[in-house]
Amino acid sequence: MPLVMVLLFAGIAGGSYVALQRYGSPAHEGTCVATGLGTSHRYSTDRVANAALISATAVDRGLPPRAASIALATAYQESQLQNIDYGDRDSLGLFQQRPSQGWGSEAEIMDPIYATNAFYDVLETIPDYTSGDINDIAQEVQRSGHPEAYRDHETEGRLYASALTGQSGANLVCTLGAVGATVSPEQVRSELERQFPRTTQSGRLTARLDSAAGAAPQLPAEAGATALVIDVGDESLGWAVANWAVARAADDGVVQVSYRGRVWDRSLRGEEAERWGTAEGGDSDRVVVLVSGR
């Protein structure tokens, strides 16, 4: 091939790469990552939203973070953290529970909140679940034909449980594109109260709507007009709620989450998108979630 053609194609390829870097989808778009234990694990946003629900249920029930670690390792092995309507024989849902084994009706098992509570109901009957081997405890709950399979997912279960139960602070980030379908702040508040019902009813968590300009420590360019302001009873609950909001950002049109001087901003790209930033004036006990007004 003549040298001029080689240079021409190289120029086109280089220009295309620059265009993608400037205007294309950011690296890892549509995924979230949690870091710790000398490693990190990245999941798609649909899986992370289900991980957030499983962890929120543990927090809401007052269970230790280890309960969420066991549940997350189990759900990833059973369904890859997806609420699937098929499986081995009559197995269904996040935990592949079987109606024929007394886990509930098909409709109940396909409700992720019901299924998660059913898992924890059994887990709490195991005396040493807070200290026993995660794989062995998961197997005691599930009675799987593959008794060692849960061990493969123990590390990521512990990482996501730590972030989503509020133990490791600002430790969950998601890389997302522009907001798609509009979700109202009222819908986000309703989902929060649905996933943390006991915490809400006890008064440890209250949520109200406010002006984004008045509530956010720093207003992103694509912010909507409304903020969901969540008052929490303690710091670990605050981080659980803050990371829950980030985990659900793809579904809920969330553009910013701030808590205790830290902020996650949907609009950031590159290395900045891989960590929580610093927010001036954000040291209060309120989690502020900005939802797109489009």
Side-chain angles (χ1 to χ4, degrees):
M1 181 183 293
L3 179 59
V4 66
M5 295 298 292
V6 173
L7 293 174
L8 176 61
F9 285 129
I12 293 172
S16 298
Y17 173 77
V18 171
L20 285 172
Q21 289 292 94
R22 289 181 179 176
Y23 308 114
S25 299
H28 306 304
E29 183 174 307
T31 67
C32 305
V33 63
T35 302
L37 303 173
T39 187
S40 62
H41 283 266
R42 187 177 296 276
Y43 288 159
S44 59
T45 55
D46 61 327
R47 289 174 169 85
V48 173
N50 284 326
L53 181 150
I54 291 169
S55 300
T57 303
V59 171
D60 193 58
R61 291 173 64 121
L63 301 179
R66 190 169 186 81
S69 298
I70 297 166
L72 290 172
T74 301
Y76 197 87
Q77 168 59 29
E78 295 292 352
S79 68
Q80 295 191 8
L81 285 169
Q82 295 175 299
N83 192 35
I84 52 179
D85 60 358
Y86 59 88
D88 178 45
R89 288 170 281 190
D90 60 337
S91 300
L92 296 167
L94 281 173
F95 295 93
Q96 289 292 280
Q97 296 155 331
R98 297 177 61 189
S100 63
Q101 293 184 342
W103 284 102
S105 68
E106 291 185 6
E108 287 173 331
I109 291 172
M110 287 302 297
D111 175 355
I113 291 180
Y114 173 90
T116 301
N117 276 300
F119 178 90
Y120 287 136
D121 286 344
V122 176
L123 179 67
E124 286 192 277
T125 68
I126 300 172
D128 64 339
Y129 85 87
T130 59
S131 58
D133 179 83
I134 285 179
N135 179 87
D136 295 347
I137 299 298
Q139 171 62 9
E140 194 165 345
V141 176
Q142 296 291 106
R143 303 295 182 183
S144 169
H146 303 279
E148 291 294 319
Y150 306 107
R151 198 174 307 283
D152 292 340
H153 308 292
E154 177 178 341
T155 298
E156 60 259 47
R158 291 173 61 193
L159 283 183
Y160 278 87
S162 180
L164 290 165
T165 63
Q167 304 306 301
S168 53
N171 189 29
L172 182 73
V173 292
C174 298
T175 303
L176 307 174
V179 175
T182 299
V183 178
S184 73
E186 290 85 354
Q187 289 175 279
V188 181
R189 178 171 63 179
S190 176
E191 189 62 30
L192 174 74
E193 293 172 348
R194 190 175 80 92
Q195 293 193 24
F196 291 91
R198 306 177 197 193
T199 312
T200 301
Q201 291 164 12
S202 70
R204 293 183 60 223
L205 182 156
T206 59
R208 66 183 188 279
L209 303 181
D210 203 345
S211 163
Q218 55 193 48
L219 199 62
E222 61 175 319
T226 307
L228 183 62
V229 180
I230 306 161
D231 292 298
V232 291
D234 58 69
E235 186 171 354
S236 64
L237 176 59
W239 281 118
V241 171
N243 285 313
W244 174 91
V246 174
R248 290 193 51 83
D251 291 334
D252 290 349
V254 172
V255 296
Q256 187 188 90
V257 180
S258 58
Y259 181 57
R260 286 193 170 269
R262 305 296 301 277
V263 60
W264 171 83
D265 192 322
R266 184 188 190 120
S267 67
L268 295 179
R269 296 291 181 263
E271 292 183 2
E272 289 185 331
E274 294 292 303
R275 60 179 180 269
W276 285 61
T278 301
E280 294 183 6
D283 291 321
S284 73
D285 288 329
R286 304 178 308 166
V287 178
V288 178
V289 180
L290 298 190
V291 181
S292 174
R294 292 187 298 182

